[in-house]
Amino acid sequence: MPGLILLFLFSVSCSRFEQSEQEKMRRLNRTEESLPRRSFATNYLLESPLHTPRTSYPWEAQLHLPKITKEFFRCKGNCTNPPLPTSEEKEPLRDCHGTHGLPILHGKEGVYPLLIDLLNYVQKKTGRRVIITCGHRCPLHNSYADASSENRTSKHQIGAEVDFYVQGMEDQPLEIAGLIMQFFQETPPYAEHPERFAFQPYEGSRSTRIKPWINKELFLKIVSPDEGRDGDNRHPYPYLCCQVRFDSLAKEPVVYTWEKAHRGYAQIN
Ligand SMILES: [Zn+2]
């Protein structure tokens, strides 16, 4: 063992000696040369470089999801759907062609902008895709999807209602409902008066197992998988339903009317 230590010390001292000899030779062989400078020459001042972060590659972007637009809300009616027999002796229910426009709001085709903003907020916060199962429904598709009498005044027909779930968070509807409430606390102009847009439990007759919530602008409910499915929500997940209650642009309540539902949308054919 002591032999090994001696060998190690010897090799270390040898390499140090070699290094110092090399340095000595470098100094001996060095030649110096002066750089001519004019008397007024000054050095350029070099600014400290600024760090510029590189742009992300598409696959690195935190949110690589298509932005929700009014196009996502188009009526899901389809003329190839089979006619549905009715219990009464009436004509079977037929679906719409699905090629018509969206409701006309504030002079333009579309849906209430609050719904679009809400769903984009949910996508941004979760990083997951929002699946709209039902946006606008023309009156024909509204009857085809759900012929019940309480659905006749559905706000889907006037572009003021949306049903959706979040891909990958299908079983966490309460978390999504929490995000919708958070939207009003964080987003201008609502965030300027957070107390005005705080949600309260809804005590009315439209109650689902999870009690709905309501604020000045929105009615929000969660529909559990066993609480009835209309034709547009044939999936096994709970889903969220948002209904606009107040039009902040026109400063008036949003209510269903036959006129808005039947004549308020662009009928292409
Ligand atoms: Zn339709």
Side-chain angles (χ1 to χ4, degrees):
M1 197 58 142
L4 277 175
I5 294 168
L6 277 175
L7 189 66
F8 173 72
L9 289 173
F10 177 72
S11 64
V12 168
S13 61
C14 276
S15 72
R16 279 198 186 145
F17 174 74
E18 208 173 297
Q19 276 174 9
S20 67
E21 281 303 299
Q22 276 176 359
E23 182 60 21
K24 244 184 246 171
M25 290 300 290
R26 194 182 72 78
R27 283 173 194 274
L28 277 174
N29 294 328
R30 183 172 66 183
T31 55
E32 289 186 358
E33 206 177 320
S34 58
L35 279 171
R37 293 253 193 253
R38 305 288 290 272
S39 60
F40 51 83
T42 53
N43 290 329
Y44 282 111
L45 286 174
L46 288 177
E47 286 181 18
S48 304
L50 288 172
H51 174 66
T52 311
R54 69 171 171 84
T55 49
S56 303
Y57 291 105
W59 57 87
E60 289 176 325
Q62 193 196 358
L63 184 63
H64 187 52
L65 294 169
K67 202 173 174 229
I68 304 274
T69 63
K70 66 175 185 177
E71 300 305 321
F72 288 63
F73 287 76
R74 294 207 174 267
C75 181
K76 298 208 187 310
N78 188 327
C79 58
T80 62
N81 283 337
L84 294 179
T86 48
S87 52
E88 302 145 45
E89 287 185 2
K90 285 184 185 170
E91 284 283 298
L93 284 171
R94 291 182 189 279
D95 202 359
C96 76
H97 283 262
T99 51
H100 53 76
L102 291 165
I104 306 295
L105 294 170
H106 311 126
K108 280 192 290 189
E109 189 204 31
V111 295
Y112 281 85
L114 173 62
L115 298 179
I116 297 178
D117 294 345
L118 272 174
L119 298 190
N120 276 314
Y121 179 86
V122 169
Q123 278 204 157
K124 193 175 159 201
K125 288 288 172 180
T126 57
R128 291 169 190 271
R129 189 185 292 260
V130 163
I131 307 291
I132 297 176
T133 50
C134 181
H136 171 234
R137 265 182 195 160
C138 67
L140 203 58
H141 182 62
N142 191 58
S143 306
Y144 185 85
D146 179 359
S148 67
S149 58
E150 55 269 30
N151 189 50
R152 278 181 204 156
T153 56
S154 145
K155 286 188 182 177
H156 282 295
Q157 298 168 92
I158 59 169
E161 184 168 346
V162 66
D163 301 339
F164 72 98
Y165 64 87
V166 178
Q167 209 168 46
M169 294 182 74
E170 290 89 347
D171 297 326
Q172 293 150 269
L174 279 171
E175 265 183 53
I176 308 301
L179 285 176
I180 288 171
M181 294 177 194
Q182 196 180 312
F183 167 88
F184 287 92
Q185 302 299 306
E186 280 186 0
T187 314
Y190 311 105
E192 289 156 23
H193 304 282
E195 68 294 335
R196 205 184 287 171
F197 297 101
F199 278 82
Q200 306 292 329
Y202 177 75
E203 306 291 347
S205 59
R206 285 183 288 177
S207 201
T208 38
R209 188 174 325 116
I210 299 171
K211 200 176 270 189
W213 302 270
I214 200 163
N215 80 353
K216 191 171 176 280
E217 300 231 353
L218 202 76
F219 172 82
L220 168 65
K221 71 174 175 181
I222 294 172
V223 183
S224 303
D226 58 346
E227 285 186 303
R229 295 279 134 159
D230 56 41
D232 286 338
N233 282 295
R234 299 222 179 278
H235 55 78
Y237 316 120
Y239 67 89
L240 290 102
C241 172
C242 293
Q243 296 170 19
V244 183
R245 300 185 63 226
F246 192 80
D247 182 346
S248 52
L249 207 66
K251 306 230 176 312
E252 59 183 25
V254 175
V255 285
Y256 165 89
T257 65
W258 190 94
E259 198 71 19
K260 278 192 214 169
H262 288 78
R263 300 207 181 122
Y265 74 99
Q267 301 188 38
I268 295 161
N269 57 18

